[in-house]
Amino acid sequence: VVSRDTDPVRYESDPGWRQFLHFYSDNNSCLRRSVWEKIPYPDVEFAEDQIWAHRVIEAGYAKAYADDAVVRHSHDYGPLERFQRAFDESNAFRVLFGYSLCGTPSKAARAIGWHVRRDIGFARKNGIGLAATCGQVARGIAQVGGQMAGSHGHRLPGALRLRLSRDKRLQRSLPVASA
């Protein structure tokens, strides 16, 4: 699928469409070197791939998505780590692009229902046991909770934001480089 529909009016007025157009994950990607040389990755703490794709789309380039590509990429996060990762992603999308991944309790409830139905259906279809299914459901609920918290992260006290953020906690644990 090649995304070439960059109608300027729709791009400006429809954040969901804009988000769809510039979604990009660099854990399984390829990019044209000449484009990357003109528009290099930004030096940021989080969401560099999303920012890059946003800039590429706004510069008039198209991107392609191969939905049949096979990728093995996993962080094997537990529920707490999934919550923290979702908090960071949601907060970054709010700060960088003005998107709320899950800003209201009703959206959160619908998203949790979707995750639960999807995970239970997958487990039944594939003969996955109760413990593994419950673990996956818990991770899905944690993801939605993290997105909800990240959408409102700017309203939280700094110490709480730090505790909820996986990225910030990891950064604080890194050794400081000496000159």
Side-chain angles (χ1 to χ4, degrees):
V1 179
V2 176
S3 179
R4 295 187 187 277
D5 185 359
T6 54
D7 171 21
V9 174
R10 184 174 184 193
Y11 189 83
E12 286 301 317
S13 65
D14 185 348
W17 182 245
R18 197 166 48 246
Q19 184 178 357
F20 170 76
L21 284 176
H22 72 74
F23 174 77
Y24 179 73
S25 179
D26 59 12
N27 61 42
N28 181 45
S29 65
C30 108
L31 52 100
R32 184 171 290 174
R33 183 182 186 124
S34 61
V35 175
W36 178 77
E37 288 172 341
K38 289 178 189 173
I39 307 172
Y41 267 34
D43 185 13
V44 295
E45 294 177 1
F46 200 84
E48 72 288 338
D49 46 2
Q50 298 289 317
I51 296 169
W52 182 82
H54 180 77
R55 290 176 180 171
V56 165
I57 292 293
E58 290 198 345
Y61 293 99
K63 68 181 183 76
Y65 174 69
D67 60 353
D68 59 348
V70 177
V71 180
R72 290 194 182 258
H73 177 85
S74 174
H75 295 285
D76 197 24
Y77 292 145
L80 176 60
E81 295 161 319
R82 178 78 63 95
F83 178 96
Q84 291 171 323
R85 173 73 182 188
F87 175 85
D88 289 331
E89 286 176 342
S90 185
N91 187 58
F93 275 50
R94 181 189 55 76
V95 169
L96 297 168
F97 307 116
Y99 301 151
S100 176
L101 294 184
C102 191
T104 65
S106 62
K107 284 183 180 178
R110 285 192 304 274
I112 286 171
W114 180 85
H115 276 279
V116 170
R117 284 189 302 278
R118 180 199 65 184
D119 294 340
I120 290 173
F122 182 83
R124 284 184 178 152
K125 182 180 175 184
N126 294 288
I128 297 172
L130 182 62
T133 303
C134 288
Q136 185 59 32
V137 166
R139 287 186 291 278
I141 292 169
Q143 179 174 335
V144 173
Q147 289 174 343
M148 180 80 173
S151 291
H152 302 285
H154 59 294
R155 298 181 184 146
L156 302 174
L160 180 56
R161 280 196 311 265
L162 178 63
R163 289 187 60 94
L164 296 178
S165 172
R166 178 171 174 74
D167 190 56
K168 296 290 184 214
R169 292 180 73 158
L170 289 172
Q171 287 178 22
R172 287 183 63 152
S173 68
L174 294 173
V176 178
S178 57

